[in-house]
Amino acid sequence: MKHKKMSWLIATLFTSPLLVQQALAQEAAGDIQQVNVTGIRASVRNALAAKEASNSIVEVVSSEDIGKLPDTTIAESLARLPGMSSGLDRGNASQVVARGLGPRFIGATLNGRELASSEPNRAVRFEQFPSESLSGATVYKTQSAELVEGGVATTIDLQTVSPLKYNGRQVSLKADALYYAMARDIPGATKLAPRVGGVYIDQFDNRKLGVALAFSYQDQPSIEKNVKQFGFNEDHSADLNGDGKIDKTPWGWGDSAKRGKDKRSSVLGKVEWKPSGDAIITGDAYYAQAKIKEPGVAHWSGDTGNWDGWQKSAYSNLDIRNGYVVGGTVTGVGLTTNDTLWTQDMDTFATGVNGKFNVGDWKIESDLSTSRAGRDSQWRDLRQVSNNGATVSFSFTGDERQVYSYGQDTGNPANFGAATLYVDTDGHLRDSLNALHLSAARAVEWGPVNKLKIGARATDREKDYHQTTWNISRLAPNGSLSNSDYETVNIAGMGAPFIALKDFVGTMQRAFGASAFDASGRVPTQNDLLSGWRVKERSSSLYAQGDLGGGLGGKSYRGNVGVRVVHTTQTGEGMQSLNNAAPTAVSDGTTYTEILPSLNLIFNMDEKQEHQVRFSVARAMSRAPLDEMRGSRNIFVDPNPAMPLTGSAGNPQLKPMMANQVDLVYQWYFGKGSLLSAGAFYKKITRYIGIVSDNTTIDGRPAVITRSVNGEGGNVRGLEFIYQQAFDNGFGVSSNYSYTNSDIKESFPTANPFPIEGLMKHNGGVTLWYEKNGFEARTSANYHSKFVRNPTWGAGQLIENGAETYLTLNVAQQLTKQMQVRFGIDNLTNQKVVYTSANIPQQQEVTEFGRRFNLGLSYKF
């Protein structure tokens, strides 16, 4: 029945154009005039035209109209491009993976400028860029000398609107009502939320001065259901069933739900001044903010790990598979109930001034920019343990099967003991990046070289993090917690009821004091001090590039050839503890110089240049994640001087990961908005960064330290296929498929290491669209096979993200020339996110975000 309803819905979608307003149809049937292509068809054509004209191998996202990218944020659009995908965060596409490589290999720029990041590494969260602020994006799959270094997989340049490219004043406003269906299952969760945005563009002084202003605001519910198996006792388990074999028992499991909000806002301001035909000066500023407040409820099962066999008599009804206890019943087990609140404030600010001047035969460009990002976060957890041991049952057999019982009434606060408030952690991250870029270009006649470009760039970046952790188990002098402070929370589809405070913040401050959540005056723990760090990075680069053009064997060709030289000095600071002694400051660092040559060639195989063969060869680099360059280390000193030091640490001496890479692509542009393409790529990656037990020397003494190091690397190779076509009857299709393989392995798990982070062997999607007489419809299905990712802050916290198919549906009707009504559904099939840890099929975490609906109006005048 479900599939029949879906078929009916899709059939209705593509026959609805018959219902378009008669007035619009009559208007279209009038005298033939100049055709102004807009909407989906315009976006497809513009993107393909930019792709065809580029001297590099690129993918392009183009705006359908002013303030109208194909999706709510650029992250969703990027994730549908050939060879691209994304992991989900709070149900949104966020950090991108490309060509089998994760976020560490992806560079991100805004108007050609590198961006600071609110992540601990260098990764940029692309969901912070809403459609109102951008006119498009270019994904560079191949390198050129003029491109900012830093993206072995790809460099993604986001472009803001240019007001002088528009003719006259234009204003676009949008308002949407968002509906989150799963909120019906979670008491206290928000079901309906607003989203608004707008763009204003105008020109003054006889089109010498242009201005653009854009804003967006979204109050997005942050809801989820989650069940997680905690892992297995690998080292100290015992025989449970008497067969003489060790049966690895689970540490336990937990279930949880969130019922919060994710408020996002942004504003863009841009001014372009063109005093003459020989000069244009642009100033722009972009600010984005995200405020997350997520109340949550959770249970943690008590210890079922059977350490050295002490619980053997408590186990029954065993289900043992491949040596792992994946099901059973255990008596005398405790239970923890958690009432939580996660707060997170993130902001990003980027601004710059750019000048372009014609000086004789030279075109001179200068660009001065600065970027700032920050994150303040705090985890608050009111934790209580059950009064009596219970009989728990579980069956975690993999394939999303998660059946469990806690054996007691978990919805009654009287069944739990005294409360302890844990604040773990109160963390603060700051990132700043300043850059200066100068370049010059002129036409030349040097054989095949018809244009020369030279340039220089200098950057100064500093990133730091510090945290404070505390817990309070003693109530304030007049504080108290009673059963009447709680409510029972029953969540549909979860295995047991929860308890939560009716007023979390108010009750906590009454019970534990007004400063319960305030880090001021609190002494950081030793772990807090060792977790703090600062990294400084100064880099300069020079490049020279020649644009190529000419004929060869009766065919024309074009492209570029060049070299970029990069010099970097980096320092990592932190705290060091020897044998748990009081931490002291420590720092280290390194310098390196890299030479990055590149060549891009496009051979036109026919006079109309519809058939193209593109070839690229280059050397590329991706710098080490900033948090892994920290100076912090925790060292244990053996009293026997012949024994090595041991411990864990950051590594300020990390060098960038390098790649020699080759691309070969055939493209056939067989019509407007139509392309058939087949390509292959190969990357030989060296100095791949992984976390290992590294044999090194500290203060002249041998040491074995767990830290990130530059390893050997390996090969990444893949195939990419694209077919897209715009038909004359209003229909269109865009489809792509990528296959990627690699012999690079991570260092975890030790016995059977994961493949390289980001590797999706299979990745692709299909978008069907229709546009005619004011009606638009689009449905997309995107698939990726399983891949390894790091969804947490901690470096090296790798898991396997299961295969996913993500479906969306969008329709729109033009009511008047100015007004359009829109309707959309995200995650049409309620795809869940499934993590599998340590290559153990039964050790899964399953998260459900639910379907999302939107109904909106757009008005343009």
Side-chain angles (χ1 to χ4, degrees):
M1 179 62 72
K2 181 178 180 180
H3 294 293
K4 289 183 178 179
K5 289 183 178 179
M6 186 68 69
S7 301
W8 177 85
L9 181 60
I10 295 175
T12 303
L13 164 67
F14 290 111
T15 56
S16 294
L18 299 176
L19 305 178
V20 174
Q21 293 178 324
Q22 185 67 27
L24 289 176
Q26 291 174 352
E27 187 175 348
D31 295 336
I32 297 177
Q33 298 177 356
Q34 182 179 357
V35 177
N36 182 25
V37 180
T38 60
I40 301 174
R41 185 178 296 271
S43 174
V44 170
R45 286 190 182 182
N46 293 338
L48 213 56
K51 178 184 176 79
E52 183 178 3
S54 176
N55 281 343
S56 300
I57 298 174
V58 301
E59 305 296 341
V60 178
V61 177
S62 179
S63 178
E64 297 174 7
D65 203 348
I66 174 178
K68 191 184 176 188
L69 281 170
D71 298 283
T72 302
T73 73
I74 194 66
E76 297 161 332
S77 300
L78 293 172
R80 280 202 292 269
L81 294 175
M84 311 280 285
S85 190
S86 174
L88 296 181
D89 179 62
R90 294 174 173 83
N92 303 306
S94 178
Q95 295 183 19
V96 171
V97 296
R99 290 187 149 193
L101 298 172
R104 294 191 298 172
F105 288 98
I106 295 174
T109 58
L110 180 65
N111 295 323
R113 302 164 181 151
E114 193 176 3
L115 282 164
S117 167
S118 57
E119 295 297 292
N121 44 40
R122 300 178 190 270
V124 170
R125 303 183 70 91
F126 289 99
E127 78 270 27
Q128 69 180 306
F129 296 99
S131 61
E132 291 82 4
S133 299
L134 301 178
S135 60
T138 303
V139 177
Y140 292 90
K141 292 184 172 178
T142 60
Q143 299 294 309
S144 61
E146 63 182 336
L147 195 64
V148 174
E149 71 278 356
V152 165
T154 182
T155 295
I156 301 173
D157 183 45
L158 311 178
Q159 297 108 30
T160 57
V161 295
S162 297
L164 288 181
K165 291 184 179 180
Y166 290 85
N167 185 20
R169 178 184 301 164
Q170 298 194 40
V171 180
S172 175
L173 299 173
K174 296 194 299 186
D176 289 74
L178 309 175
Y179 177 71
Y180 285 66
M182 199 176 74
R184 296 175 300 182
D185 298 341
I186 306 175
T190 301
K191 303 179 184 67
L192 289 171
R195 183 181 188 277
V196 295
V199 185
Y200 165 79
I201 293 175
D202 209 346
Q203 302 84 34
F204 306 93
D205 192 18
N206 197 26
R207 292 187 54 79
K208 293 181 180 179
L209 182 67
V211 298
L213 295 172
F215 77 95
S216 72
Y217 173 77
Q218 178 171 322
D219 187 359
Q220 174 182 304
S222 180
I223 56 175
E224 70 174 55
K225 303 177 187 177
N226 175 280
V227 180
K228 179 180 181 180
Q229 204 265 24
F230 292 155
F232 291 89
N233 179 1
E234 298 277 353
D235 301 321
H236 284 268
S237 289
D239 179 14
L240 281 178
N241 58 4
D243 63 356
K245 298 178 181 179
I246 299 297
D247 302 312
K248 299 176 182 179
T249 42
W251 294 119
W253 68 90
D255 59 352
S256 64
K258 294 180 181 178
R259 44 181 180 170
K261 289 190 174 184
D262 184 357
K263 297 182 179 181
R264 298 180 178 271
S265 57
S266 70
V267 61
L268 167 74
K270 192 168 186 177
V271 177
E272 290 181 328
W273 180 42
K274 192 174 183 180
S276 69
D278 291 322
I280 181 169
I281 299 173
T282 303
D284 59 86
Y286 176 77
Y287 178 76
Q289 183 183 75
K291 289 184 174 293
I292 299 173
K293 186 176 182 180
E294 288 175 339
V297 288
H299 300 124
W300 298 343
S301 74
D303 181 26
T304 55
N306 191 33
W307 187 269
D308 289 341
W310 78 276
Q311 286 175 297
K312 180 176 181 178
S313 62
Y315 264 90
S316 61
N317 303 320
L318 296 172
D319 183 357
I320 303 174
R321 305 186 185 187
N322 297 321
Y324 291 96
V325 180
V326 299
T329 300
V330 193
T331 60
V333 175
L335 173 71
T336 301
T337 184
N338 308 74
D339 189 8
T340 64
L341 179 63
W342 168 256
T343 62
Q344 178 176 284
D345 293 345
M346 297 184 297
D347 60 78
T348 300
F349 176 71
T351 186
V353 178
N354 179 278
K356 298 177 181 178
F357 310 94
N358 295 330
V359 182
D361 294 334
W362 289 92
K363 295 183 181 295
I364 309 296
E365 181 175 356
S366 62
D367 191 278
L368 179 64
S369 65
T370 184
S371 179
R372 301 285 186 271
R375 173 185 287 191
D376 300 310
S377 58
Q378 190 180 87
W379 173 255
R380 308 168 183 177
D381 181 1
L382 182 69
R383 202 174 301 172
Q384 298 169 258
V385 179
S386 58
N387 292 321
N388 301 298
T391 299
V392 301
S393 298
F394 63 95
S395 179
F396 289 80
T397 59
D399 295 325
E400 299 184 33
R401 176 178 169 81
Q402 297 174 301
V403 179
Y404 56 94
S405 171
Y406 293 120
Q408 58 182 286
D409 183 4
T410 57
N412 185 356
N415 289 333
F416 296 91
T420 299
L421 173 63
Y422 290 82
V423 179
D424 182 20
T425 58
D426 181 88
H428 304 273
L429 179 85
R430 296 292 180 268
D431 191 9
S432 64
L433 194 161
N434 302 314
L436 173 63
H437 180 204
L438 301 172
S439 67
R442 63 166 296 170
V444 297
E445 296 181 2
W446 298 348
V449 180
N450 55 48
K451 189 175 184 179
L452 172 67
K453 299 179 182 178
I454 56 175
R457 178 174 177 264
T459 65
D460 186 351
R461 187 169 194 172
E462 182 173 317
K463 194 161 196 166
D464 64 82
Y465 173 76
H466 69 274
Q467 67 179 44
T468 309
T469 303
W470 66 93
N471 64 74
I472 309 173
S473 57
R474 183 172 53 85
L475 298 177
N478 298 317
S480 63
L481 286 174
S482 65
N483 292 344
S484 62
D485 290 322
Y486 293 86
E487 62 180 352
T488 301
V489 181
N490 291 289
I491 298 176
M494 303 297 285
F498 300 85
I499 59 172
L501 293 173
K502 298 173 184 176
D503 176 11
F504 184 91
V505 174
T507 304
M508 288 294 90
Q509 290 179 334
R510 186 198 75 209
F512 295 104
S515 62
F517 307 130
D518 188 358
S520 300
R522 299 188 187 275
V523 178
T525 66
Q526 178 152 308
N527 181 67
D528 290 335
L529 294 174
L530 294 175
S531 298
W533 50 269
R534 175 182 287 108
V535 172
K536 299 176 182 178
E537 181 180 80
R538 290 172 176 82
S539 182
S540 57
S541 58
L542 299 172
Y543 71 86
Q545 178 177 302
D547 285 0
L548 306 174
L552 184 67
K555 309 296 183 182
S556 64
Y557 69 89
R558 57 187 170 90
N560 57 58
V561 61
V563 62
R564 190 177 188 97
V565 180
V566 181
H567 178 75
T568 301
T569 299
Q570 64 192 36
T571 303
E573 301 174 356
M575 302 291 280
Q576 171 183 276
S577 175
L578 299 177
N579 282 344
N580 291 318
T584 57
V586 65
S587 67
D588 198 358
T590 190
T591 62
Y592 56 85
T593 300
E594 299 294 345
I595 300 174
L596 309 175
S598 60
L599 170 68
N600 291 280
L601 287 174
I602 299 99
F603 296 95
N604 298 308
M605 309 306 293
D606 62 327
E607 186 175 345
K608 292 184 178 180
Q609 301 185 13
E610 293 178 345
H611 298 266
Q612 298 181 359
V613 174
R614 293 177 175 247
F615 171 78
S616 175
V617 59
R619 182 165 172 79
M621 61 178 278
S622 286
R623 289 188 173 89
L626 289 161
D627 57 332
E628 296 182 50
M629 293 159 54
R630 66 193 183 276
S632 312
R633 55 196 191 192
N634 194 11
I635 307 297
F636 299 94
V637 182
D638 194 294
N640 182 354
M643 298 300 292
L645 307 178
T646 59
S648 60
N651 189 354
Q653 296 185 2
L654 286 172
K655 300 290 182 66
M657 296 175 284
M658 307 300 298
N660 296 327
Q661 49 195 42
V662 180
D663 286 76
L664 181 64
V665 178
Y666 165 74
Q667 297 175 343
W668 176 24
Y669 296 88
F670 59 92
K672 291 184 178 180
S674 301
L675 169 68
L676 189 64
S677 173
F681 65 87
Y682 171 80
K683 299 177 186 291
K684 176 64 175 180
I685 295 177
T686 58
R687 298 204 305 234
Y688 184 70
I689 295 174
I691 298 178
V692 299
S693 293
D694 180 35
N695 293 302
T696 185
T697 301
I698 295 178
D699 297 332
R701 184 169 174 175
V704 180
I705 305 298
T706 300
R707 63 176 184 171
S708 296
V709 299
N710 291 108
E712 293 183 359
N715 304 310
V716 178
R717 54 178 63 89
L719 302 172
E720 293 180 348
F721 302 94
I722 304 170
Y723 163 65
Q724 64 182 72
Q725 187 169 2
F727 300 98
D728 294 335
N729 59 2
F731 286 92
V733 59
S734 297
S735 61
N736 65 81
Y737 167 75
S738 300
Y739 172 81
T740 312
N741 204 349
S742 176
D743 59 4
I744 303 176
K745 299 290 185 180
E746 301 289 349
S747 56
F748 174 83
T750 304
N752 182 21
F754 281 133
I756 185 173
E757 180 187 356
L759 180 68
M760 299 173 176
K761 283 195 173 182
H762 305 282
N763 178 29
V766 177
T767 297
L768 304 175
W769 56 269
Y770 180 90
E771 181 183 17
K772 199 168 187 179
N773 296 333
F775 177 81
E776 300 178 15
R778 179 180 63 223
T779 182
S780 298
N782 290 86
Y783 168 83
H784 65 74
S785 57
K786 62 183 181 181
F787 73 106
V788 174
R789 64 179 292 196
N790 182 3
T792 70
W793 266 46
Q797 303 298 311
L798 299 175
I799 52 86
E800 180 187 271
N801 195 130
E804 296 171 339
T805 302
Y806 199 77
L807 272 69
T808 62
L809 173 69
N810 293 277
V811 295
Q813 173 66 62
Q814 202 73 31
L815 302 178
T816 68
K817 288 183 177 181
Q818 292 78 31
M819 185 177 293
Q820 184 188 65
V821 62
R822 294 170 285 105
F823 174 73
I825 309 175
D826 284 332
N827 196 12
L828 196 62
T829 59
N830 193 24
Q831 172 70 61
K832 298 178 182 179
V833 177
V834 181
Y835 295 157
T836 301
S837 299
N839 275 324
I840 303 172
Q842 297 83 16
Q843 190 175 328
Q844 287 190 334
E845 177 180 0
V846 179
T847 305
E848 181 180 357
F849 297 108
R851 299 178 182 86
R852 299 181 294 182
F853 301 80
N854 76 278
L855 179 65
L857 284 174
S858 298
Y859 192 84
K860 180 182 177 182
F861 56 91

